[in-house]
Amino acid sequence: VLKVLSHIDSTLRSPRAPPLIYRRSKGPVQNYTKENGQECGFEHLPLTIEMWADQLMALKDLHRSLRKLSLELVPWHTADPQDNRESIRVEDLQFIVDAILEEIENKEKNSQTPSLPTLSAIVSHFQKLFDVNSLNGVYPRMNEVYTKLGEMTNAMRNLHELLQLDSSAPPTAVVDTVGKLCDIINENVTEQVQRLLGTQDIHSIINKLEEYECFFPPFQALIQDLLCVLEISNLDDILPTVRRLK
């Protein structure tokens, strides 16, 4: 018995023992003599062993709680082989905690990766926007949209350069500028027609055109007859030929 008690006492006194485990009694105690004649007190052993027993039971409870947490956070991990053991070690708890921490770190790293429901919602939204009836048509329509977008981008870039607009100008600015150019061109055409017909009034222009419409067909027929009668093919030859006949 003394050997066992001496061994327990040396274990409690060892540097590996927690600092609060071993406490020598301050009051009068019953001492036992070791084999080497040194005294040792064991009055604190019941309290210490009780505390150890409580800690071991608490360790089991903690292990059970960590296992529940692990099943919630990392359910795909297989149950560790220590589940059915009566004695639970700190290493078992550390293994579970490390697995949970590793999973949390991986989730933080992959937080930008969209989930499968998110990807499915994106594909469905694309199908609605671009009228794609089946999944097989998604990739061809994507390529088509990409090609059209490239063409439109190049066209807008060229228009910005031709119209001397800033590259950040929106499409509405390009449309407005083109519309103004069209208005200017139409105004110039109107002015040229007015200058050609010698009038500034639209009604006068209409009357002039009606007069020309009445005059030119008979005139053209007369000229064709003259060319035929005089046996010539050039308008410039009509007058010299008539003079020679005279």
Side-chain angles (χ1 to χ4, degrees):
V1 176
L2 289 176
K3 287 184 178 181
V4 174
L5 294 176
S6 177
H7 181 68
I8 294 175
D9 186 68
S10 62
T11 301
L12 295 176
R13 292 172 180 268
S14 68
R16 296 180 59 187
L20 298 180
I21 293 295
Y22 178 77
R23 281 183 277 180
R24 184 173 293 278
S25 176
K26 296 181 181 179
V29 296
Q30 181 180 3
N31 293 330
Y32 297 88
T33 305
K34 292 184 180 180
E35 289 183 341
N36 57 8
Q38 296 180 359
E39 65 175 20
C40 60
F42 299 101
E43 72 282 357
H44 62 286
L45 286 183
L47 294 178
T48 301
I49 293 175
E50 287 179 5
M51 184 180 69
W52 281 359
D54 292 339
Q55 293 297 313
L56 289 176
M57 291 301 297
L59 205 61
K60 290 183 178 181
D61 294 338
L62 179 58
H63 180 264
R64 192 178 302 109
S65 299
L66 286 176
R67 283 298 303 156
K68 290 181 180 179
L69 180 61
S70 176
L71 290 175
E72 289 291 333
L73 297 179
V74 285
W76 50 88
H77 279 201
T78 57
D80 65 83
Q82 309 298 333
D83 280 347
N84 297 325
R85 284 183 48 170
E86 294 184 0
S87 61
I88 302 299
R89 299 177 304 176
V90 176
E91 290 84 350
D92 302 332
L93 305 181
Q94 188 64 46
F95 174 80
I96 299 175
V97 172
D98 289 342
I100 295 174
L101 290 177
E102 182 180 359
E103 180 61 25
I104 293 175
E105 290 176 358
N106 291 335
K107 282 186 177 180
E108 290 177 353
K109 290 179 181 178
N110 300 327
S111 59
Q112 299 302 322
T113 303
S115 61
L116 183 60
T118 302
L119 294 176
S120 177
I122 292 174
V123 173
S124 298
H125 188 61
F126 180 88
Q127 289 181 266
K128 291 179 181 178
L129 287 178
F130 298 99
D131 194 22
V132 182
N133 296 326
S134 65
L135 290 177
N136 293 333
V138 170
Y139 279 112
R141 186 56 59 87
M142 281 184 175
N143 294 333
E144 181 183 351
V145 171
Y146 177 79
T147 301
K148 293 295 183 182
L149 179 61
E151 293 175 356
M152 293 299 298
T153 301
N154 291 333
M156 291 299 295
R157 186 186 301 112
N158 293 333
L159 285 174
H160 278 92
E161 294 177 357
L162 290 174
L163 300 175
Q164 297 181 351
L165 295 174
D166 188 79
S167 59
S168 61
T172 53
V174 176
V175 174
D176 291 341
T177 305
V178 172
K180 291 177 181 178
L181 287 177
C182 291
D183 292 340
I184 293 173
I185 292 173
N186 291 334
E187 290 176 0
N188 290 338
V189 170
T190 302
E191 290 178 359
Q192 291 175 4
V193 172
Q194 290 175 348
R195 191 178 301 111
L196 176 65
L197 298 178
T199 179
Q200 301 295 324
D201 186 6
I202 187 63
H203 295 290
S204 299
I205 294 175
I206 294 174
N207 293 334
K208 290 281 186 182
L209 291 175
E210 290 176 351
E211 291 176 3
Y212 285 129
E213 187 177 359
C214 293
F215 171 75
F216 275 107
F219 178 76
Q220 183 180 11
L222 175 63
I223 295 299
Q224 290 295 333
D225 291 341
L226 282 174
L227 291 175
C228 210
V229 170
L230 299 175
E231 297 181 350
I232 55 178
S233 57
N234 249 330
L235 290 177
D236 295 335
D237 296 334
I238 293 177
L239 188 58
T241 303
V242 171
R243 283 176 179 174
R244 282 198 301 270
L245 292 175
K246 182 180 177 181

